[in-house]
Amino acid sequence: MPEIPSSDVDLYTEEARIDPYEIYADLRRLGPVVHLSRYDLYALSRYDDVRGALSDWQTFSSARGVFVDPEVNARLEGITLCSDPPEHTAMRSVLGRPLRPERIREVTPRIEAEAAQVVERLVERGRFEVVTELAEYLPMTVVSDLVGLGDHGQAKMLEWAAAIWNTQGPADERAAAAGPAVEEFMDYAATTAVPGRIDPDGWAAQLYAAADRGELPRDKCPMMMLDYVTPSLDTTILAITNAIALFAEYPDQWRLLCEDRSLIPHAINESLRLESPVPQFSRVLTEDHEISGVPLPSGSRVALLYASANRDDRHYPDPDRFDITRRPSDHLAFGRGEHVCVGLHLARLEMTALLERLADRVTRFEVQHRRPLINNGLRGLDRLEVAVRTSP
Ligand code: HEM
Protein backbone atom coordinates (compact mmCIF):
# COMPACT_ATOMS: atom_id res chain seq x y z
CA MET A 1 0.00 0.00 0.00
CA PRO A 2 1.57 3.38 -0.94
CA GLU A 3 2.56 5.53 2.01
CA ILE A 4 0.85 8.93 2.03
CA PRO A 5 3.39 11.77 2.13
CA SER A 6 2.97 14.13 5.04
CA SER A 7 3.82 17.82 5.26
CA ASP A 8 3.77 20.22 8.19
CA VAL A 9 3.53 23.21 5.85
CA ASP A 10 1.29 26.00 7.14
CA LEU A 11 -1.07 27.39 4.51
CA TYR A 12 -2.19 30.14 6.92
CA THR A 13 0.96 32.15 7.63
CA GLU A 14 0.90 35.69 6.28
CA GLU A 15 3.49 34.74 3.63
CA ALA A 16 1.43 31.73 2.52
CA ARG A 17 -1.77 33.79 2.29
CA ILE A 18 0.11 36.30 0.11
CA ASP A 19 1.87 33.78 -2.12
CA PRO A 20 0.91 30.11 -1.75
CA TYR A 21 2.06 29.04 -5.21
CA GLU A 22 5.45 27.56 -4.25
CA ILE A 23 3.76 25.55 -1.50
CA TYR A 24 1.16 24.31 -3.96
CA ALA A 25 3.87 23.29 -6.44
CA ASP A 26 5.63 21.33 -3.65
CA LEU A 27 2.39 19.59 -2.71
CA ARG A 28 1.71 18.65 -6.34
CA ARG A 29 5.23 17.22 -6.58
CA LEU A 30 4.92 15.27 -3.32
CA GLY A 31 1.97 13.20 -4.56
CA PRO A 32 -1.72 13.15 -5.44
CA VAL A 33 -2.65 13.14 -1.74
CA VAL A 34 -0.55 14.84 0.96
CA HIS A 35 -1.43 14.73 4.64
CA LEU A 36 -1.27 18.25 6.12
CA SER A 37 -0.32 17.28 9.65
CA ARG A 38 -1.11 20.64 11.27
CA TYR A 39 -4.79 20.40 10.39
CA ASP A 40 -5.27 16.66 9.81
CA LEU A 41 -6.38 17.40 6.27
CA TYR A 42 -5.58 15.42 3.13
CA ALA A 43 -4.67 17.93 0.43
CA LEU A 44 -5.61 17.25 -3.20
CA SER A 45 -3.55 19.67 -5.25
CA ARG A 46 -3.59 18.24 -8.79
CA TYR A 47 -6.20 19.24 -11.36
CA ASP A 48 -7.62 15.80 -12.21
CA ASP A 49 -8.01 14.79 -8.56
CA VAL A 50 -9.72 18.03 -7.52
CA ARG A 51 -12.05 17.90 -10.51
CA GLY A 52 -12.79 14.21 -9.87
CA ALA A 53 -13.72 14.96 -6.24
CA LEU A 54 -16.01 17.83 -7.25
CA SER A 55 -17.82 15.56 -9.70
CA ASP A 56 -18.61 12.90 -7.05
CA TRP A 57 -20.67 14.40 -4.22
CA GLN A 58 -21.81 10.96 -3.04
CA THR A 59 -18.23 10.10 -2.01
CA PHE A 60 -16.94 13.64 -1.34
CA SER A 61 -19.64 15.05 0.90
CA SER A 62 -20.20 18.71 1.81
CA ALA A 63 -22.71 17.87 4.56
CA ARG A 64 -20.10 17.90 7.33
CA GLY A 65 -18.86 21.34 6.32
CA VAL A 66 -16.36 22.48 3.71
CA PHE A 67 -13.96 24.45 5.92
CA VAL A 68 -10.98 23.57 8.16
CA ASP A 69 -11.93 24.20 11.80
CA PRO A 70 -14.15 21.38 13.18
CA GLU A 71 -16.17 23.86 15.27
CA VAL A 72 -16.99 26.07 12.29
CA ASN A 73 -17.86 22.99 10.26
CA ALA A 74 -20.23 21.79 12.99
CA ARG A 75 -21.85 25.21 13.30
CA LEU A 76 -22.51 25.68 9.60
CA GLU A 77 -23.78 22.17 8.83
CA GLY A 78 -26.94 22.42 6.75
CA ILE A 79 -26.33 25.74 4.96
CA THR A 80 -26.47 25.51 1.17
CA LEU A 81 -22.70 25.24 0.80
CA CYS A 82 -22.53 22.61 3.55
CA SER A 83 -25.23 20.14 2.49
CA ASP A 84 -25.74 17.27 0.05
CA PRO A 85 -28.67 16.39 -2.21
CA PRO A 86 -31.63 16.12 -1.80
CA GLU A 87 -31.60 18.84 0.91
CA HIS A 88 -29.02 20.83 -1.05
CA THR A 89 -31.02 20.59 -4.29
CA ALA A 90 -34.11 22.14 -2.69
CA MET A 91 -32.19 25.04 -1.12
CA ARG A 92 -30.10 25.70 -4.19
CA SER A 93 -33.11 25.80 -6.48
CA VAL A 94 -34.72 28.58 -4.39
CA LEU A 95 -31.45 30.43 -3.81
CA GLY A 96 -30.52 30.27 -7.48
CA ARG A 97 -33.81 31.64 -8.86
CA PRO A 98 -32.78 35.30 -9.13
CA LEU A 99 -29.34 34.24 -10.35
CA ARG A 100 -30.50 32.20 -13.35
CA PRO A 101 -29.25 33.46 -16.74
CA GLU A 102 -32.70 34.77 -17.82
CA ARG A 103 -33.04 36.78 -14.58
CA ILE A 104 -29.48 38.05 -14.90
CA ARG A 105 -30.35 39.28 -18.41
CA GLU A 106 -33.05 41.48 -16.81
CA VAL A 107 -30.50 43.28 -14.62
CA THR A 108 -27.90 43.53 -17.39
CA PRO A 109 -28.87 47.03 -18.65
CA ARG A 110 -28.65 48.43 -15.12
CA ILE A 111 -25.26 46.87 -14.46
CA GLU A 112 -23.91 48.01 -17.83
CA ALA A 113 -25.11 51.58 -17.25
CA GLU A 114 -23.56 51.70 -13.77
CA ALA A 115 -20.30 50.23 -15.11
CA ALA A 116 -20.14 52.88 -17.85
CA GLN A 117 -20.61 55.66 -15.31
CA VAL A 118 -18.04 54.47 -12.80
CA VAL A 119 -15.41 53.79 -15.47
CA GLU A 120 -15.94 57.17 -17.10
CA ARG A 121 -15.62 58.96 -13.75
CA LEU A 122 -12.43 57.15 -12.71
CA VAL A 123 -10.68 57.21 -16.07
CA GLU A 124 -11.21 60.98 -16.29
CA ARG A 125 -9.14 61.31 -13.11
CA GLY A 126 -6.18 59.43 -14.59
CA ARG A 127 -5.51 57.41 -11.46
CA PHE A 128 -7.65 55.58 -8.95
CA GLU A 129 -7.72 52.86 -6.31
CA VAL A 130 -9.11 49.73 -7.95
CA VAL A 131 -10.54 47.89 -4.92
CA THR A 132 -12.62 50.59 -3.28
CA GLU A 133 -13.35 52.81 -6.27
CA LEU A 134 -13.84 50.35 -9.13
CA ALA A 135 -14.23 46.74 -7.97
CA GLU A 136 -16.50 47.37 -4.97
CA TYR A 137 -18.81 49.62 -6.92
CA LEU A 138 -21.11 47.13 -8.69
CA PRO A 139 -21.31 44.54 -5.88
CA MET A 140 -21.97 47.26 -3.30
CA THR A 141 -24.51 49.28 -5.26
CA VAL A 142 -26.41 47.00 -7.62
CA VAL A 143 -25.98 43.58 -5.98
CA SER A 144 -26.58 44.67 -2.41
CA ASP A 145 -29.62 46.60 -3.60
CA LEU A 146 -30.96 43.49 -5.34
CA VAL A 147 -30.54 41.48 -2.12
CA GLY A 148 -32.63 44.22 -0.51
CA LEU A 149 -31.27 44.53 3.03
CA GLY A 150 -31.58 48.27 3.52
CA ASP A 151 -29.00 50.83 4.58
CA HIS A 152 -27.68 49.34 7.84
CA GLY A 153 -27.09 45.94 6.24
CA GLN A 154 -25.40 47.50 3.22
CA ALA A 155 -23.03 49.58 5.32
CA LYS A 156 -21.82 46.56 7.28
CA MET A 157 -21.88 43.94 4.52
CA LEU A 158 -18.21 44.02 3.57
CA GLU A 159 -17.00 43.88 7.16
CA TRP A 160 -19.36 40.99 7.97
CA ALA A 161 -18.52 39.04 4.82
CA ALA A 162 -14.74 39.37 5.36
CA ALA A 163 -15.22 38.17 8.95
CA ILE A 164 -17.12 35.07 7.85
CA TRP A 165 -14.39 34.25 5.30
CA ASN A 166 -11.77 34.64 8.03
CA THR A 167 -13.36 31.81 10.01
CA GLN A 168 -12.96 29.41 7.09
CA GLY A 169 -9.40 28.42 7.95
CA PRO A 170 -8.08 27.03 11.25
CA ALA A 171 -9.03 28.46 14.66
CA ASP A 172 -6.17 30.96 14.66
CA GLU A 173 -5.90 34.61 15.72
CA ARG A 174 -7.42 35.85 12.48
CA ALA A 175 -10.48 33.68 13.07
CA ALA A 176 -10.75 34.77 16.71
CA ALA A 177 -10.56 38.45 15.74
CA ALA A 178 -13.41 37.89 13.27
CA GLY A 179 -15.68 36.40 15.97
CA PRO A 180 -17.55 39.53 17.11
CA ALA A 181 -18.39 40.63 13.55
CA VAL A 182 -19.60 37.11 12.70
CA GLU A 183 -21.90 37.15 15.77
CA GLU A 184 -23.22 40.56 14.77
CA PHE A 185 -23.94 39.31 11.24
CA MET A 186 -25.72 36.17 12.47
CA ASP A 187 -27.79 38.24 14.86
CA TYR A 188 -28.64 40.73 12.11
CA ALA A 189 -29.71 37.87 9.81
CA ALA A 190 -31.97 36.33 12.44
CA THR A 191 -33.56 39.45 13.89
CA THR A 192 -33.26 42.44 11.54
CA ALA A 193 -33.13 41.15 7.97
CA VAL A 194 -36.62 39.70 8.27
CA PRO A 195 -39.86 40.31 6.35
CA GLY A 196 -41.29 43.72 7.12
CA ARG A 197 -37.80 45.19 7.56
CA ILE A 198 -36.29 44.27 4.17
CA ASP A 199 -37.19 45.23 0.60
CA PRO A 200 -40.27 43.10 -0.19
CA ASP A 201 -39.10 42.67 -3.81
CA GLY A 202 -35.48 41.79 -2.92
CA TRP A 203 -33.81 38.40 -3.11
CA ALA A 204 -33.78 38.00 0.68
CA ALA A 205 -37.56 38.54 0.86
CA GLN A 206 -38.05 35.95 -1.89
CA LEU A 207 -36.47 33.33 0.36
CA TYR A 208 -39.13 33.96 3.02
CA ALA A 209 -41.85 33.88 0.35
CA ALA A 210 -40.56 30.47 -0.78
CA ALA A 211 -40.66 29.27 2.85
CA ASP A 212 -44.27 30.50 3.14
CA ARG A 213 -45.12 28.40 0.07
CA GLY A 214 -43.61 25.37 1.82
CA GLU A 215 -40.59 25.12 -0.49
CA LEU A 216 -38.12 25.34 2.41
CA PRO A 217 -38.15 25.31 6.19
CA ARG A 218 -38.46 28.92 7.42
CA ASP A 219 -35.60 28.51 9.88
CA LYS A 220 -33.22 28.06 6.91
CA CYS A 221 -33.95 31.58 5.61
CA PRO A 222 -31.52 33.65 7.75
CA MET A 223 -28.58 31.42 6.85
CA MET A 224 -29.60 31.37 3.20
CA MET A 225 -29.73 35.16 3.23
CA LEU A 226 -26.05 34.98 4.22
CA ASP A 227 -25.50 32.99 1.01
CA TYR A 228 -26.36 36.11 -0.98
CA VAL A 229 -23.97 38.30 0.99
CA THR A 230 -20.92 36.27 2.03
CA PRO A 231 -19.95 34.66 -1.28
CA SER A 232 -21.08 37.42 -3.61
CA LEU A 233 -19.08 40.49 -2.62
CA ASP A 234 -15.40 39.90 -1.86
CA THR A 235 -15.10 37.11 -4.43
CA THR A 236 -16.19 39.39 -7.24
CA ILE A 237 -14.26 42.37 -5.88
CA LEU A 238 -11.08 40.28 -5.76
CA ALA A 239 -11.71 38.82 -9.21
CA ILE A 240 -12.05 42.29 -10.74
CA THR A 241 -8.98 43.60 -8.91
CA ASN A 242 -6.88 40.54 -9.78
CA ALA A 243 -7.79 40.94 -13.45
CA ILE A 244 -6.69 44.59 -13.52
CA ALA A 245 -3.44 43.72 -11.70
CA LEU A 246 -2.72 41.02 -14.29
CA PHE A 247 -3.44 43.36 -17.21
CA ALA A 248 -1.09 45.93 -15.66
CA GLU A 249 1.60 43.29 -15.42
CA TYR A 250 0.96 42.00 -18.97
CA PRO A 251 0.25 45.08 -21.13
CA ASP A 252 0.47 42.98 -24.31
CA GLN A 253 -2.55 40.96 -23.08
CA TRP A 254 -4.53 44.18 -22.49
CA ARG A 255 -3.68 45.29 -26.04
CA LEU A 256 -4.95 41.95 -27.35
CA LEU A 257 -8.22 42.33 -25.46
CA CYS A 258 -8.70 45.91 -26.67
CA GLU A 259 -8.18 44.79 -30.26
CA ASP A 260 -10.51 41.79 -29.99
CA ARG A 261 -13.39 42.06 -27.53
CA SER A 262 -14.40 38.45 -28.16
CA LEU A 263 -11.46 37.59 -25.90
CA ILE A 264 -13.16 39.09 -22.81
CA PRO A 265 -14.85 35.84 -21.63
CA HIS A 266 -11.53 34.00 -22.02
CA ALA A 267 -9.68 36.78 -20.21
CA ILE A 268 -12.11 36.47 -17.30
CA ASN A 269 -11.55 32.70 -17.13
CA GLU A 270 -7.80 33.08 -17.44
CA SER A 271 -7.57 35.65 -14.64
CA LEU A 272 -9.76 33.49 -12.39
CA ARG A 273 -7.60 30.47 -13.21
CA LEU A 274 -4.36 32.24 -12.42
CA GLU A 275 -5.52 34.18 -9.34
CA SER A 276 -8.42 32.25 -7.86
CA PRO A 277 -10.17 34.35 -5.17
CA VAL A 278 -11.35 31.21 -3.31
CA PRO A 279 -8.23 29.03 -2.99
CA GLN A 280 -9.86 26.00 -1.37
CA PHE A 281 -12.84 24.30 0.24
CA SER A 282 -12.95 20.80 1.71
CA ARG A 283 -15.08 17.65 1.65
CA VAL A 284 -15.42 14.54 3.87
CA LEU A 285 -15.23 11.00 2.45
CA THR A 286 -18.44 9.04 2.97
CA GLU A 287 -16.67 5.69 2.37
CA ASP A 288 -13.18 4.24 2.00
CA HIS A 289 -11.95 5.60 -1.31
CA GLU A 290 -8.88 5.53 -3.55
CA ILE A 291 -7.61 8.81 -5.03
CA SER A 292 -5.13 8.26 -7.89
CA GLY A 293 -4.18 4.93 -6.30
CA VAL A 294 -3.95 6.31 -2.75
CA PRO A 295 -6.48 4.72 -0.37
CA LEU A 296 -8.10 6.98 2.24
CA PRO A 297 -10.48 5.86 4.98
CA SER A 298 -14.10 6.94 5.25
CA GLY A 299 -14.39 10.13 7.36
CA SER A 300 -11.14 11.68 6.06
CA ARG A 301 -11.39 15.41 5.40
CA VAL A 302 -9.84 16.31 2.05
CA ALA A 303 -8.87 19.87 1.10
CA LEU A 304 -9.63 20.64 -2.54
CA LEU A 305 -6.98 23.18 -3.51
CA TYR A 306 -8.73 24.90 -6.44
CA ALA A 307 -5.99 27.52 -6.77
CA SER A 308 -3.35 24.80 -7.03
CA ALA A 309 -5.34 22.67 -9.48
CA ASN A 310 -5.67 25.77 -11.66
CA ARG A 311 -1.87 26.00 -11.91
CA ASP A 312 -1.18 22.29 -12.43
CA ASP A 313 1.14 21.90 -15.43
CA ARG A 314 -0.26 18.40 -15.98
CA HIS A 315 -3.37 20.23 -17.19
CA TYR A 316 -2.31 23.76 -18.18
CA PRO A 317 1.02 24.07 -20.01
CA ASP A 318 3.21 26.92 -18.69
CA PRO A 319 0.59 27.46 -15.98
CA ASP A 320 2.05 30.58 -14.34
CA ARG A 321 1.76 32.63 -17.54
CA PHE A 322 -1.24 34.94 -18.08
CA ASP A 323 -2.42 34.19 -21.61
CA ILE A 324 -5.94 35.31 -22.54
CA THR A 325 -5.88 33.24 -25.72
CA ARG A 326 -5.63 30.06 -23.62
CA ARG A 327 -9.42 29.64 -23.21
CA PRO A 328 -9.36 27.73 -19.91
CA SER A 329 -13.14 27.40 -19.52
CA ASP A 330 -12.58 24.25 -17.45
CA HIS A 331 -10.83 26.09 -14.58
CA LEU A 332 -12.00 25.30 -11.05
CA ALA A 333 -12.18 28.81 -9.56
CA PHE A 334 -15.99 28.55 -9.43
CA GLY A 335 -15.83 24.93 -8.22
CA ARG A 336 -17.73 22.34 -10.28
CA GLY A 337 -20.50 19.79 -9.91
CA GLU A 338 -23.41 20.11 -7.44
CA HIS A 339 -21.97 23.14 -5.64
CA VAL A 340 -20.60 25.02 -8.64
CA CYS A 341 -20.91 28.74 -7.94
CA VAL A 342 -24.55 29.70 -8.25
CA GLY A 343 -23.59 33.36 -8.79
CA LEU A 344 -21.16 32.83 -11.65
CA HIS A 345 -23.37 34.43 -14.32
CA LEU A 346 -23.71 37.54 -12.20
CA ALA A 347 -19.98 37.65 -11.44
CA ARG A 348 -19.15 37.25 -15.13
CA LEU A 349 -21.63 39.99 -16.05
CA GLU A 350 -20.08 42.45 -13.58
CA MET A 351 -16.56 41.68 -14.82
CA THR A 352 -17.56 41.86 -18.49
CA ALA A 353 -19.35 45.18 -18.08
CA LEU A 354 -16.28 46.77 -16.46
CA LEU A 355 -13.73 45.30 -18.87
CA GLU A 356 -15.79 46.39 -21.90
CA ARG A 357 -15.93 50.00 -20.74
CA LEU A 358 -12.28 50.05 -19.63
CA ALA A 359 -11.27 48.70 -23.05
CA ASP A 360 -13.09 51.67 -24.66
CA ARG A 361 -10.90 54.14 -22.80
CA VAL A 362 -7.75 52.68 -21.28
CA THR A 363 -4.69 51.74 -23.31
CA ARG A 364 -2.50 50.82 -20.35
CA PHE A 365 -2.64 50.34 -16.56
CA GLU A 366 0.37 51.21 -14.42
CA VAL A 367 0.51 50.00 -10.83
CA GLN A 368 1.45 52.69 -8.31
CA HIS A 369 0.91 50.69 -5.14
CA ARG A 370 -0.46 47.28 -4.18
CA ARG A 371 -1.23 45.67 -0.85
CA PRO A 372 -2.17 42.01 -0.43
CA LEU A 373 -5.31 40.90 1.38
CA ILE A 374 -4.66 38.68 4.38
CA ASN A 375 -7.75 36.54 4.91
CA ASN A 376 -8.14 32.85 5.82
CA GLY A 377 -10.69 32.07 3.11
CA LEU A 378 -9.88 34.45 0.28
CA ARG A 379 -6.88 35.51 -1.72
CA GLY A 380 -6.02 38.62 -3.72
CA LEU A 381 -5.36 42.29 -3.22
CA ASP A 382 -6.66 44.65 -0.61
CA ARG A 383 -5.43 47.82 -2.35
CA LEU A 384 -4.34 48.48 -5.93
CA GLU A 385 -3.60 52.03 -7.01
CA VAL A 386 -3.24 52.45 -10.75
CA ALA A 387 -2.56 55.22 -13.20
CA VAL A 388 -4.22 54.78 -16.58
CA ARG A 389 -3.14 55.88 -20.03
CA THR A 390 -6.09 56.62 -22.23
CA SER A 391 -6.76 56.63 -25.94
CA PRO A 392 -6.87 60.12 -27.46
C1 HEM B 1 -15.70 35.75 -9.22
C2 HEM B 1 -16.56 35.65 -8.23
C3 HEM B 1 -16.87 34.35 -7.53
C4 HEM B 1 -16.05 33.29 -7.25
C5 HEM B 1 -14.57 33.11 -7.58
C6 HEM B 1 -16.87 32.30 -6.55
C7 HEM B 1 -16.41 31.05 -6.13
C8 HEM B 1 -17.22 30.03 -5.68
C9 HEM B 1 -16.80 28.67 -5.46
C10 HEM B 1 -15.39 28.14 -5.63
C11 HEM B 1 -17.89 27.95 -5.06
C12 HEM B 1 -17.94 26.45 -4.85
C13 HEM B 1 -18.07 25.99 -3.46
C14 HEM B 1 -17.74 24.53 -3.27
O1 HEM B 1 -16.92 23.96 -3.98
O2 HEM B 1 -18.29 23.94 -2.33
C15 HEM B 1 -19.00 28.89 -4.99
C16 HEM B 1 -20.27 28.58 -4.57
C17 HEM B 1 -21.23 29.53 -4.33
N1 HEM B 1 -21.24 30.84 -4.76
FE1 HEM B 1 -19.73 31.79 -5.70
N2 HEM B 1 -18.13 32.80 -6.41
C18 HEM B 1 -18.19 34.05 -7.00
C19 HEM B 1 -19.30 34.88 -7.09
C20 HEM B 1 -20.51 34.64 -6.50
C21 HEM B 1 -21.65 35.53 -6.51
C22 HEM B 1 -21.71 36.88 -7.26
C23 HEM B 1 -22.64 34.93 -5.76
C24 HEM B 1 -24.04 35.37 -5.43
C25 HEM B 1 -24.69 36.36 -5.90
C26 HEM B 1 -22.12 33.65 -5.31
C27 HEM B 1 -22.81 32.74 -4.54
C28 HEM B 1 -22.38 31.45 -4.31
C29 HEM B 1 -23.17 30.48 -3.55
C30 HEM B 1 -24.50 30.74 -2.87
C31 HEM B 1 -22.45 29.28 -3.57
C32 HEM B 1 -22.86 27.94 -2.93
C33 HEM B 1 -23.50 27.08 -3.99
C34 HEM B 1 -23.84 25.71 -3.50
O3 HEM B 1 -23.37 25.29 -2.44
O4 HEM B 1 -24.59 25.03 -4.22
N3 HEM B 1 -20.83 33.52 -5.78
N4 HEM B 1 -18.57 30.15 -5.41
Side-chain angles (χ1 to χ4, degrees):
M1 204 172 274
E3 190 158 326
I4 301 175
S6 180
S7 166
D8 71 350
V9 71
D10 188 353
L11 285 168
Y12 294 92
T13 62
E14 204 166 296
E15 300 74 50
R17 296 320 288 166
I18 295 171
D19 183 3
Y21 295 114
E22 267 308 309
I23 297 178
Y24 290 155
D26 285 344
L27 293 174
R28 289 195 300 271
R29 266 191 300 273
L30 273 171
V33 181
V34 179
H35 185 238
L36 299 181
S37 55
R38 284 170 190 266
Y39 312 112
D40 194 18
L41 277 178
Y42 293 91
L44 307 194
S45 56
R46 298 179 182 174
Y47 181 90
D48 286 347
D49 298 318
V50 176
R51 183 172 166 153
L54 288 171
S55 314
D56 177 7
W57 63 265
Q58 286 94 340
T59 311
F60 294 84
S61 166
S62 296
R64 284 166 61 189
V66 299
F67 313 116
V68 175
D69 177 15
E71 258 182 52
V72 175
N73 280 323
R75 186 171 183 191
L76 294 180
E77 258 181 34
I79 65 167
T80 316
L81 191 62
C82 305
S83 57
D84 289 335
E87 197 195 12
H88 169 258
T89 318
M91 285 191 285
R92 185 175 163 109
S93 99
V94 174
L95 191 70
R97 257 174 223 160
L99 296 163
R100 285 209 292 253
E102 65 275 18
R103 299 292 301 280
I104 293 301
R105 273 195 289 278
E106 290 167 20
V107 297
T108 300
R110 183 172 166 202
I111 288 188
E112 286 177 344
E114 295 279 358
Q117 272 183 33
V118 70
V119 167
E120 194 53 40
R121 203 165 52 233
L122 294 176
V123 168
E124 276 303 306
R125 282 191 1 221
R127 54 188 293 171
F128 53 92
E129 201 285 298
V130 176
V131 179
T132 49
E133 296 188 293
L134 180 78
E136 283 181 9
Y137 186 76
L138 293 176
M140 288 310 290
T141 51
V142 186
V143 179
S144 65
D145 191 41
L146 291 169
V147 179
L149 295 184
D151 291 344
H152 176 63
Q154 281 191 7
K156 298 286 269 183
M157 267 184 183
L158 277 180
E159 184 195 332
W160 287 338
I164 296 247
W165 282 103
N166 251 331
T167 62
Q168 300 193 357
D172 62 5
E173 278 171 20
R174 245 169 257 139
V182 170
E183 291 312 319
E184 198 184 29
F185 193 13
M186 299 282 190
D187 183 57
Y188 169 83
T191 59
T192 308
V194 291
R197 304 181 71 175
I198 50 178
D199 176 356
D201 299 321
W203 298 350
Q206 288 168 33
L207 296 174
Y208 284 92
D212 291 343
R213 290 192 301 271
E215 293 174 37
L216 348 136
R218 199 176 164 89
D219 61 5
K220 292 271 185 204
C221 292
M223 287 308 269
M224 288 178 67
M225 189 279 286
L226 300 195
D227 282 329
Y228 284 136
V229 177
T230 316
S232 69
L233 303 176
D234 305 76
T235 50
T236 317
I237 294 165
L238 289 167
I240 294 165
T241 309
N242 293 342
I244 304 294
L246 285 166
F247 280 119
E249 197 183 331
Y250 294 83
D252 59 317
Q253 297 296 304
W254 183 246
R255 262 194 308 277
L256 271 181
L257 179 144
C258 292
E259 281 160 16
D260 179 359
R261 302 295 179 89
S262 72
L263 289 171
I264 288 180
H266 309 300
I268 291 172
N269 281 331
E270 175 67 349
S271 64
L272 285 164
R273 178 192 74 78
L274 202 56
E275 297 291 359
S276 308
V278 181
Q280 74 173 71
F281 279 126
S282 68
R283 302 288 191 263
V284 168
L285 288 185
T286 54
E287 58 187 30
D288 296 352
H289 188 70
E290 228 175 70
I291 299 162
S292 288
V294 180
L296 279 183
S298 174
S300 306
R301 183 169 288 281
V302 292
L304 309 181
L305 304 184
Y306 305 144
S308 169
N310 281 338
R311 288 195 184 214
D312 183 359
D313 63 3
R314 293 164 191 79
H315 192 74
Y316 297 111
D318 197 4
D320 298 332
R321 193 165 54 89
F322 181 53
D323 174 1
I324 68 170
T325 64
R326 190 193 289 270
R327 305 178 182 232
S329 55
D330 58 356
H331 70 78
L332 303 177
F334 285 124
R336 214 180 174 82
E338 296 300 305
H339 290 272
V340 68
C341 179
V342 77
L344 65 86
H345 301 295
L346 177 60
R348 282 191 201 285
L349 168 62
E350 293 174 75
M351 293 182 77
T352 306
L354 291 173
L355 290 177
E356 284 276 6
R357 295 294 70 83
L358 286 165
D360 288 343
R361 298 293 314 279
V362 175
T363 54
R364 195 173 174 136
F365 299 96
E366 282 157 11
V367 173
Q368 312 282 305
H369 174 68
R370 51 189 282 161
R371 187 174 78 197
L373 174 77
I374 311 290
N375 183 289
N376 280 352
L378 294 166
R379 208 194 141 268
L381 296 172
D382 186 34
R383 279 283 173 281
L384 178 68
E385 285 169 26
V386 292
V388 289
R389 289 209 212 142
T390 50
S391 36

